Amino acid sequence: MGSDVLILPTIGIDMEYWINRHWGIGFHNDIELETFEVRTVEGEFVEREFPLVVTLDALWMPENHWVVVAGPGFEIAPHETYELFRLGLEYEVELGNHVDVSPNLIYDIRRNAFDTFSYGIGIGYRF
């Protein structure tokens, strides 16, 4: 309560379709595995119960391995839903047999609310 920094565990499932070597579309979904309170821009505290973040992102791979992520989405929770815009950077490392690992940095900007910064590691399988 009242802290400016929260560290929360999340888990996600991402689906991506690559149109060509440089451009793709991603449907990214994360659920935060905690109930917590955040302060709004008006200074009020709002409880967030296991919020689900859903984004539809443009993916751009300007160089091998680096992926820029950007797109709109929502954070959905029982008391309130926030619109957001996601910006991110990933580094994809192929392990072979269609499997890859991607360390990532993500910044979500919520409309009329709070922003979040996250980092993680994704494990992917290419069909």
Side-chain angles (χ1 to χ4, degrees):
M1 292 198 173
S3 174
D4 289 338
V5 176
L6 295 173
I7 298 173
L8 303 170
T10 63
I11 190 166
I13 296 176
D14 299 346
M15 293 174 276
E16 297 178 349
Y17 175 75
W18 287 91
I19 299 163
N20 59 40
R21 208 176 118 211
H22 296 286
W23 291 98
I25 298 170
F27 181 57
H28 297 156
N29 307 279
D30 308 309
I31 188 164
E32 295 167 354
L33 303 173
E34 294 271 343
T35 296
F36 57 95
E37 286 187 341
V38 293
R39 187 179 335 197
T40 66
V41 291
E42 292 87 20
E44 300 172 359
F45 286 96
V46 177
E47 185 175 67
R48 308 302 289 158
E49 296 178 40
F50 300 94
L52 172 66
V53 176
V54 177
T55 62
L56 183 61
D57 300 313
L59 309 172
W60 176 48
M61 187 181 294
E63 306 227 356
N64 283 341
H65 307 289
W66 289 102
V67 179
V68 177
V69 176
F74 296 94
E75 181 186 88
I76 304 161
H79 299 292
E80 191 164 358
T81 296
Y82 293 115
E83 295 176 29
L84 65 86
F85 190 81
R86 173 169 283 186
L87 297 170
L89 185 63
E90 298 181 347
Y91 186 82
E92 290 188 359
V93 178
E94 292 186 37
L95 299 179
N97 294 330
H98 306 283
V99 176
D100 61 61
V101 174
S102 304
N104 58 56
L105 299 172
I106 302 292
Y107 188 67
D108 290 336
I109 305 161
R110 283 162 186 76
R111 185 176 180 178
N112 298 324
F114 56 96
D115 297 347
T116 58
F117 172 77
S118 60
Y119 60 91
I121 295 181
I123 299 171
Y125 183 82
R126 294 177 188 243
F127 296 93

